[in-house]
Amino acid sequence: MIYPDNAIEKLGFADIKALIKAKCLSEPGMEMVNKISPQTRFDQVDKFLRQAHEFKELLINDAPLPVDHLHPIRPLAEKARIVGTFLAEDEFFAILLSLKTVFAVIRYFNERSGQYPNLEALFEHLPIEKNIVSAIEQVIDAKGRVKPNASPILAEIISGITKAEQEARKRIDQVFRTAQQNGWTADGNLTVRDGRLCIPILAESKRKIKGWIHDESATGQTAYIEPEEVFHLNNKVRDLEFDKRREIVRILTELTDELRPHVPLLIAYHNLLSKVDFVRAKALFAIDIDGHMPELGKDASISLVAARHPLLLLTLRESQQSVVPLNVHIDDRQRIIVVSGPNAGGKSVCMKTIGLLQLMVQSGLLIPADATSKVGIFKQLFADIGDDQSIESDLSTYSAHLSKMKYFSEHADAKTLVLIDEFGTGTDPLFGGPIAEAVLEVLNRKKVRGVVTTHYSNLKVFASNTEGIENASMLFDNVAMRPLYILQTGKPGSSYAFEIAQKIGLGETILQAARQKIGDQQKRVDTLLVDLERDKKEVYEAKIAIAQKEKQLSRLKAENEQLQAYLEENKKTIISKAREEARDIIRNANKLVENTISGIRESQAEKTKTKALRQQLDAELHKHTERANIQPKAKQNPVEAVAIKVGDWVKILGTDNEAQVISIAKNNVVLAMGELRTVQKRSNVIRIAKKDEPTRSRQPHQTRIADDVASFRPEVDVRGMRTEAALYEIEKFLDKAVMMGFPSLKIVHGKGDGILRKFIREYLRKYGEVTRMEDEHPDRGGEGITYAYLV
């Protein structure tokens, strides 16, 4: 329940409905917008909010919904319900287009089953009756006209009309040519008079052609004659046109009779299109105001985070301005908020924002507030906003306020949201303040929720000393003398009457006289409020600074984590590169050994040739050994620690990492390792002569690999082993075969019951290097041997 009736208009809810209505595509959708009103059932409000939220997500993130034709079906269905009536061609065409839209919408959501559950509920259990569309399409063409072949009789009639028209045209053309040859015709061609095709004949020659004169020119010089033989043909065409019209009516009546049993389903389709249009309009409006779905609660409470007035938001957006967000909390402990502060500081906008957003939520509309906001359900909303003086009711401004206060105090309860603007004004402040305080005490005792704006000091003091009532103020910059439009709870605010008066240029004499007229106590209170306001502003600025520091800290933390991840990734890259180099060494060693063996075989182990080949192999190995022996020396003999300057190369102690100094700050140095940057203590680095990345000694390993290549055979025998031992042995041989570039691995596992063979093959399938597996030839072991072919 909303009291008074004009409270909705004063809060701006009617303007919200008008903006949503403009988003609708159909009259039924607009009618549903007109019926929007706050609901008090939790399940209903929750359903409406979720539908709007899902449609908003659909519009933003999904393919467009096919809503090309939203013609109202209900009126046509109601007309078809009456026996003996028939729908016209254009009416059937409108139904056809709307039904195609209905079926397209249902298919759209069926293809996304489960993605939009609350929207799917709009057409739950609604069938797609294609017979209706098929029946209409057999009669109505793509332009909305009855098809010429809708019935055999109609096709015959249309054919007869065509033939008669052709014959009539042929005959009149013959008569026209004859008249032209004889000089009987006037200037011009054949023309239509009274729906008949006529020949323009000179007045003196009109008796020379038998026929009917349908018209003559203004001067009387020309007569328009329809020849006699053509007249009879045209009459035949007209008779056929009447037959055609009667046949079309018969066809449409028959089609209407066929449609009549489906009238309830057609009305259901109409309701679906109306709801889709309605929810779509709500979602489009939500996108305009950056609306979100708040968390809905069953208790009477409000917790708005970053809330903005939707109408003010749209207005300021046009001028490229922004709205200062509002944060407010009302619950069982903090029931009534008394907002004070300077004029034009945003008190009324704050109160109206709370009331309007509450109305929007309970009407199923998304609100321009953070999604973390929590909004409950109120059974009643009472508002006293603006001047409601009435000549007819003999009410003054204050009398109108008192009438509302009487109603509020009698009918409000714990499920009521009360909004009172400029509480207690309209009469002598000496009496208006105490009356307002008494009313506020009654409302608080009844555990009413609400927002009150005021300038009265006694209400501020009462709020400070009363449980359940909380002071709040709109922040004001008392240096620049401008409002900040920021609500802060906990402390009352000053009206800044003297400061504002001074800013606009009111005389100092007047201001001084005014200061002398107010009591000392009031001056001290106002001064205290100004000081509190200044402190609040400093606290607020400190909070902003802390928030910025926290944001900067979060950014640095994220950068550090990103750097750590990059280092880990770089480490993986270095290891991968080292593995690739190891593979190259193995391949080269393999080739070297194979070439040596091949040379020995070709020389048939001739001693001189064999000796030369061995010397060549030893020389190659010696070359790597020399390089390996030199590099550790370079690594172990860095330049003694001296003064480090920008551009020097240093090594980080305890690691093998080398980097270049890019800057020095006190006891720290900033180092560059490729694209990475790090900070180290001076004592943790030592300067080296130059960037000479040490190469690890590979000779001993290469020598072992050369020996392994010479002796390795890609064959493993696991007969008699347990499964785990067999797989471990196979893994070792498989790794060597892959690294040494062998094309296949022979695994001898025996036949037995085939269990070991099965486990081995399942294990090998996990390796990407194994392309396929085959059994040995039956003559050489068959299923007892597996060949694993490698990449």
Side-chain angles (χ1 to χ4, degrees):
M1 176 184 175
I2 297 177
Y3 178 85
D5 294 336
N6 64 357
I8 282 185
E9 295 181 5
K10 291 194 174 184
L11 288 172
F13 191 64
D15 296 327
I16 297 292
K17 290 169 65 173
L19 292 171
I20 297 174
K21 189 175 179 180
K23 303 286 185 183
C24 291
L25 299 175
S26 65
E27 286 294 333
M30 296 179 184
E31 291 173 4
M32 292 190 72
V33 174
N34 290 334
K35 296 177 182 178
I36 291 180
S37 61
Q39 305 297 312
T40 55
R41 284 176 47 192
F42 175 85
D43 56 340
Q44 207 168 30
V45 174
D46 185 63
K47 180 181 70 173
F48 292 159
L49 284 173
R50 293 186 184 279
Q51 287 175 352
H53 173 70
E54 288 180 0
F55 215 120
K56 177 193 168 190
E57 294 299 313
L58 182 153
L59 292 173
I60 294 174
N61 301 317
D62 213 331
L65 187 70
V67 286
D68 300 325
H69 303 286
L70 297 176
H71 302 288
I73 303 176
R74 180 187 289 274
L76 304 179
E78 295 292 350
K79 180 181 177 181
R81 191 194 296 271
I82 303 172
V83 178
T85 60
F86 68 91
L87 299 180
E89 295 167 293
D90 58 335
E91 292 174 331
F92 272 115
F93 190 56
I95 291 178
L96 178 63
L97 294 177
S98 292
L99 289 183
K100 287 184 176 180
T101 299
V102 169
F103 298 161
V105 169
I106 294 176
R107 281 194 301 270
Y108 181 93
F109 286 108
N110 285 340
E111 291 170 358
R112 297 159 175 78
S113 179
Q115 189 173 347
Y116 306 107
N118 292 281
L119 292 178
E120 290 173 17
L122 294 176
F123 56 87
E124 191 174 10
H125 308 306
L126 194 61
I128 296 179
E129 188 58 60
K130 294 184 178 180
N131 293 335
I132 303 175
V133 172
S134 300
I136 297 175
E137 286 182 333
Q138 288 178 359
V139 174
I140 305 298
D141 62 15
K143 295 182 179 180
R145 311 304 300 173
V146 173
K147 291 182 177 181
N149 60 348
S151 73
I153 296 175
L154 182 62
E156 185 179 348
I157 292 172
I158 292 176
S159 176
I161 291 173
T162 302
K163 291 179 181 178
E165 287 178 341
Q166 290 175 350
E167 182 64 23
R169 183 61 188 239
K170 180 180 178 182
R171 296 293 297 277
I172 199 170
D173 284 342
Q174 291 175 350
V175 174
F176 184 51
R177 282 195 298 271
T178 302
Q180 282 182 322
Q181 291 170 359
N182 293 326
W184 300 339
T185 59
D187 293 338
N189 296 317
L190 295 173
T191 185
V192 177
R193 289 293 186 273
D194 295 333
R196 299 280 188 150
L197 196 59
C198 300
I199 301 174
I201 301 295
L202 295 173
E204 60 270 20
S205 303
K206 63 184 179 180
R207 303 295 179 189
K208 296 180 180 180
I209 295 179
K210 292 183 179 181
W212 280 262
I213 300 174
H214 288 282
D215 197 6
E216 64 178 16
S217 65
T219 60
Q221 299 294 320
T222 303
Y224 298 97
I225 299 175
E226 181 183 10
E228 183 179 16
E229 56 268 40
V230 176
F231 178 79
H232 294 297
L233 288 172
N234 284 336
N235 282 345
K236 181 181 179 180
V237 170
R238 180 160 295 187
D239 290 340
L240 289 173
E241 289 286 352
F242 290 143
D243 293 341
K244 175 185 174 184
R245 189 178 305 169
R246 283 191 293 271
E247 179 61 16
I248 289 176
V249 170
R250 186 194 68 78
I251 293 172
L252 294 177
T253 302
E254 188 176 288
L255 183 59
T256 304
D257 294 340
E258 189 176 349
L259 191 68
R260 190 167 292 115
H262 301 290
V263 165
L265 183 58
L266 291 176
I267 293 176
Y269 287 153
H270 169 88
N271 293 337
L272 171 62
L273 288 182
S274 302
K275 291 175 183 176
V276 167
D277 187 26
F278 170 62
V279 181
R280 175 182 173 274
K282 293 199 299 181
L284 287 172
F285 178 70
I287 293 174
D288 285 349
I289 63 172
D290 192 22
H292 296 88
M293 177 180 170
E295 182 181 335
L296 190 65
K298 295 183 179 180
D299 58 335
S301 63
I302 302 173
S303 180
L304 296 176
V305 180
R308 292 158 294 167
H309 195 290
L311 300 177
L312 184 61
L313 174 69
L314 295 175
T315 301
L316 294 182
R317 183 181 292 166
E318 294 178 358
S319 58
Q320 297 183 343
Q321 294 177 283
S322 59
V323 178
V324 179
L326 168 71
N327 298 311
V328 66
H329 184 77
I330 298 174
D331 58 14
D332 185 52
R333 299 186 62 183
Q334 186 173 291
R335 294 185 292 273
I336 299 176
I337 297 178
V338 177
V339 184
S340 54
N343 287 319
K347 298 189 303 297
S348 297
V349 173
C350 166
M351 182 194 65
K352 289 181 179 180
T353 300
I354 296 170
L356 179 57
L357 297 191
Q358 184 64 42
L359 288 176
M360 290 176 65
V361 168
Q362 291 193 218
S363 300
L365 302 178
L366 305 185
I367 58 174
D370 195 271
T372 58
S373 300
K374 298 179 182 179
V375 180
I377 302 292
F378 289 88
K379 300 293 184 182
Q380 303 179 114
L381 188 147
F382 298 161
D384 181 13
I385 302 173
D387 186 0
D388 277 343
Q389 62 178 330
S390 170
I391 297 176
E392 293 82 0
S393 303
D394 194 24
L395 289 176
S396 66
T397 300
Y398 188 61
S399 298
H401 286 311
L402 286 180
S403 297
K404 293 177 184 175
M405 294 307 104
K406 175 179 179 294
Y407 188 90
F408 292 0
S409 59
E410 291 176 352
H411 296 89
D413 56 23
K415 289 283 186 178
T416 304
L417 179 63
V418 173
L419 307 172
I420 304 176
D421 193 23
E422 300 295 347
F423 196 17
T425 58
T427 189
D428 188 340
L430 188 63
F431 302 103
I435 293 175
E437 183 177 331
V439 172
L440 187 59
E441 184 177 6
V442 171
L443 295 177
N444 183 49
R445 192 162 55 243
K446 299 181 76 171
K447 298 188 182 301
V448 172
R449 274 67 164 165
V451 180
V452 173
T453 68
T454 186
H455 288 286
Y456 285 179
S457 298
N458 68 305
L459 294 182
K460 302 175 189 178
V461 174
F462 179 71
S464 299
N465 300 326
T466 306
E467 184 179 353
I469 304 178
E470 186 72 30
N471 267 310
S473 62
M474 304 303 296
L475 292 183
F476 190 81
D477 187 344
N478 53 9
V479 177
M481 297 305 295
R482 63 179 182 84
L484 299 176
Y485 306 109
I486 298 170
L487 178 70
Q488 191 170 69
T489 57
K491 299 292 182 181
S494 170
S495 297
Y496 288 94
F498 286 104
E499 288 80 2
I500 294 174
Q502 186 175 4
K503 182 184 179 184
I504 66 174
L506 196 62
E508 184 60 33
T509 305
I510 298 175
L511 292 175
Q512 189 62 33
R515 288 190 180 95
Q516 293 175 356
K517 291 180 183 296
I518 65 173
D520 293 337
Q521 180 67 24
Q522 183 61 39
K523 282 194 290 186
R524 284 196 296 269
V525 170
D526 201 58
T527 302
L528 178 62
L529 290 176
V530 171
D531 293 340
L532 285 173
E533 196 76 23
R534 185 183 299 108
D535 294 341
K536 282 194 295 184
K537 182 173 178 293
E538 292 176 356
V539 170
Y540 179 74
E541 291 174 349
K543 285 173 65 178
I544 292 177
I546 292 171
Q548 290 175 346
K549 292 290 185 183
E550 289 178 347
K551 186 176 180 181
Q552 185 180 8
L553 181 61
S554 299
R555 180 177 58 80
L556 292 174
K557 182 180 177 183
E559 289 178 357
N560 184 52
E561 290 175 352
Q562 186 177 3
L563 181 60
Q564 290 272 8
Y566 184 82
L567 286 170
E568 287 295 325
E569 186 64 29
N570 196 38
K571 178 180 177 183
K572 293 177 182 178
T573 304
I574 293 171
I575 293 173
S576 176
K577 186 177 180 182
R579 286 176 177 168
E580 186 62 34
E581 291 177 355
R583 290 193 184 99
D584 291 340
I585 293 170
I586 292 169
R587 293 190 192 99
N588 294 335
N590 189 14
K591 291 178 182 178
L592 180 61
V593 172
E594 286 178 354
N595 292 335
T596 303
I597 294 171
S598 176
I600 293 173
R601 286 175 178 172
E602 289 176 0
S603 63
Q604 297 180 352
E606 200 269 327
K607 290 184 178 180
T608 306
K609 183 66 174 177
T610 302
K611 185 178 180 181
L613 290 172
R614 286 185 179 278
Q615 288 177 349
Q616 181 181 348
L617 178 60
D618 291 340
E620 185 68 23
L621 296 178
H622 184 67
K623 180 176 68 176
H624 288 285
T625 305
E626 285 181 348
R627 187 174 66 177
N629 290 335
I630 292 171
Q631 287 168 347
K633 285 185 179 180
K635 180 178 178 182
Q636 293 169 3
N637 291 306
V639 177
E640 292 300 325
V642 293
I644 298 173
K645 60 182 184 297
V646 175
D648 287 346
W649 284 90
V650 298
K651 186 182 79 168
I652 301 174
L653 297 179
T655 69
D656 291 333
N657 296 328
E658 296 178 0
Q660 188 175 22
V661 179
I662 58 175
S663 65
I664 300 173
K666 296 184 179 179
N667 294 325
N668 297 327
V669 289
V670 181
L671 307 178
M673 293 188 292
E675 295 183 358
L676 300 180
R677 300 291 185 270
T678 183
V679 179
Q680 296 287 337
K681 295 287 185 182
R682 281 198 184 191
S683 59
N684 198 33
V685 299
I686 185 168
R687 188 163 72 92
I688 59 177
K690 59 178 180 178
K691 181 185 178 184
D692 185 12
E693 185 177 353
T695 304
R696 293 178 179 85
S697 173
R698 299 190 180 102
Q699 179 54 34
H701 183 58
Q702 186 169 359
T703 304
R704 290 196 302 271
I705 290 174
D707 295 338
D708 289 344
V709 170
S711 60
F712 179 74
R713 292 293 178 268
E715 178 179 334
V716 56
D717 189 345
V718 295
R719 287 177 293 183
M721 295 184 183
R722 298 180 64 86
T723 302
E724 294 80 2
L727 295 181
Y728 176 73
E729 194 68 20
I730 290 170
E731 184 178 14
K732 292 195 298 182
F733 273 76
L734 180 63
D735 290 342
K736 289 183 179 180
V738 171
M739 292 185 66
M740 295 180 183
F742 283 92
S744 63
L745 176 65
K746 180 180 178 181
I747 305 170
V748 181
H749 46 68
K751 296 182 180 179
D753 296 329
I755 297 174
L756 184 58
R757 174 180 178 270
K758 177 183 176 183
F759 277 107
I760 289 172
R761 293 203 173 193
E762 288 180 353
Y763 178 75
L764 291 175
R765 287 191 186 97
K766 299 177 182 178
Y767 282 87
E769 292 84 1
V770 179
T771 58
R772 60 190 175 91
M773 290 173 282
E774 290 182 358
D775 292 336
E776 176 62 281
H777 191 276
D779 295 340
R780 295 189 292 274
E783 294 181 355
I785 299 174
T786 294
Y787 274 95
Y789 291 91
L790 309 176
V791 176

